[in-house]
Amino acid sequence: KAGVTQTPRYLIKTRGQQVTLSCSPISGHRSVSWYQQTPGQGLQFLFEYFSETQRNKGNFPGRFSGRQFSNSRSEMNVSTLELGDSALYLCASSLGSSGRANEQFFGPGTRLTVL
Amino acid sequence: GDSVTQMEGPVTLSEEAFLTINCTYTATGYPSLFWYVQYPGEGLQLLLKATKADDKGSNKGFEATYRKETTSFHLEKGSVQVSDSAVYFCALIVYGGATNKLIFGTGTLLAVQP
C-alpha cells in the first residue's frame, strides 16, 4: 500500500507570493489533516478535511486555506507569503471515522522557504 | 485547553543506556495518547499508542503506559541504539466529536552516541 505523498518536497518563494501544496492520502483514507512545523512553534494543526468538507480548523489567519477533492487528495494554499510562513508542512491521512482506532499516517512534508 | 508537556531536550545517551522521556497531558475529555518519532529530513512515524487508562503501548523495544492518575505517558526503552537518534513527540487526541486534531508536545531530541 502506497503511503502519503506530498508534492513538492521543497519550495522557495518570496514574500507576497502565494503557494499551493498537494497531498495524496493513502488509498481508502477519507480524512486529510495539515500541520505546520517550525522550530519556534513546534507542530501546529492547520485544518482537517473529510469528504471534501473542512471538519476542523486551527488558529491560523485566513491566508491559509485548503480544499479536498472527490478522490480525497487535498491542497493547501498560502497567499501573501510572509517570512514567518517558512516551515515544514506535514499532511496526515486517516480513515476519518471518529473513534479511538483512528491512526494518522504522515507524509514526508513540504519544506517551504520564504525569502 | 488540551495540551501536552514533554521534557526539554536534547537528551544525550550512550548506546545501551536506559531511556526515559517524560510526557504529561491536560485534557478535558478522555484522550488517546501517542508517541511519534521524526528522523532527520522525514515526516512523523507513529511509534506507539494507548487508547485508554492503564493501556501499555509498545513497539521496537519502546514502551509507554497511559497513567490517568498522574496524567502521564512516559516513553521508555531499556537499551537504546545509535539508530534511535531522532526527535520524539508525545501527542493526544480527545475524541467526542468528529475531529482528528492531534495536539503535540514540543518534541525531545534524542542523540545516542556509540
Side-chain angles (χ1 to χ4, degrees):
Chain A
K1 205 179 213 183
V4 179
T5 57
Q6 292 187 245
T7 56
R9 290 293 310 277
Y10 302 92
L11 263 179
I12 299 175
K13 293 285 188 179
T14 56
R15 276 181 300 173
Q17 287 187 308
Q18 76 163 16
V19 67
T20 299
L21 313 181
S22 180
C23 172
S24 293
I26 292 170
S27 176
H29 285 192
R30 296 167 64 194
S31 167
V32 173
S33 298
W34 289 89
Y35 295 84
Q36 182 196 63
Q37 185 178 22
T38 60
Q41 300 298 317
L43 278 154
Q44 293 187 285
F45 173 80
L46 279 154
F47 28 65
E48 182 205 0
Y49 286 87
F50 177 76
S51 292
E52 302 179 66
T53 301
Q54 188 180 87
R55 189 157 73 170
N56 201 353
K57 190 177 188 309
N59 237 5
F60 280 81
R63 300 185 297 106
F64 292 81
S65 62
R67 60 177 175 168
Q68 187 180 34
F69 302 94
S70 58
N71 62 357
S72 295
R73 190 177 70 86
S74 176
E75 290 181 346
M76 68 164 279
N77 184 277
V78 188
S79 62
T80 319
L81 283 166
E82 300 177 359
L83 295 179
D85 297 333
S86 294
L88 181 67
Y89 290 88
L90 292 164
C91 163
S93 84
S94 68
L95 288 169
S97 55
S98 55
R100 296 181 174 273
N102 209 353
E103 181 177 337
Q104 294 191 43
F105 296 84
F106 282 81
T110 294
R111 170 76 62 187
L112 172 64
T113 302
V114 182
L115 302 176
Chain B
D2 302 326
S3 66
V4 174
T5 302
Q6 59 181 107
M7 63 189 286
E8 296 271 337
V11 173
T12 303
L13 296 173
S14 297
E15 209 164 21
E16 299 184 3
F18 184 86
L19 168 71
T20 300
I21 300 178
N22 290 337
C23 171
T24 58
Y25 67 89
T26 302
T28 51
Y30 298 97
S32 288
L33 302 173
F34 306 83
W35 277 100
Y36 281 87
V37 58
Q38 186 175 36
Y39 297 100
E42 297 184 13
L44 299 173
Q45 298 176 27
L46 178 65
L47 183 58
L48 53 83
K49 66 181 180 184
T51 59
K52 60 184 188 300
D54 299 326
D55 268 3
K56 177 187 277 190
S58 61
N59 185 27
K60 300 180 182 179
F62 291 90
E63 293 183 341
T65 301
Y66 188 147
R67 301 281 188 207
K68 188 179 173 186
E69 64 276 12
T70 54
T71 63
S72 65
F73 192 54
H74 304 321
L75 182 67
E76 297 182 335
K77 186 176 186 184
S79 176
V80 294
Q81 306 300 313
V82 171
S83 57
D84 294 326
S85 298
V87 181
Y88 293 80
F89 293 91
C90 185
L92 67 82
I93 290 180
V94 178
Y95 293 100
T99 177
N100 281 323
K101 176 183 174 181
L102 274 164
I103 296 170
F104 288 93
T106 52
T108 302
L109 173 63
L110 170 65
V112 181
Q113 298 174 337

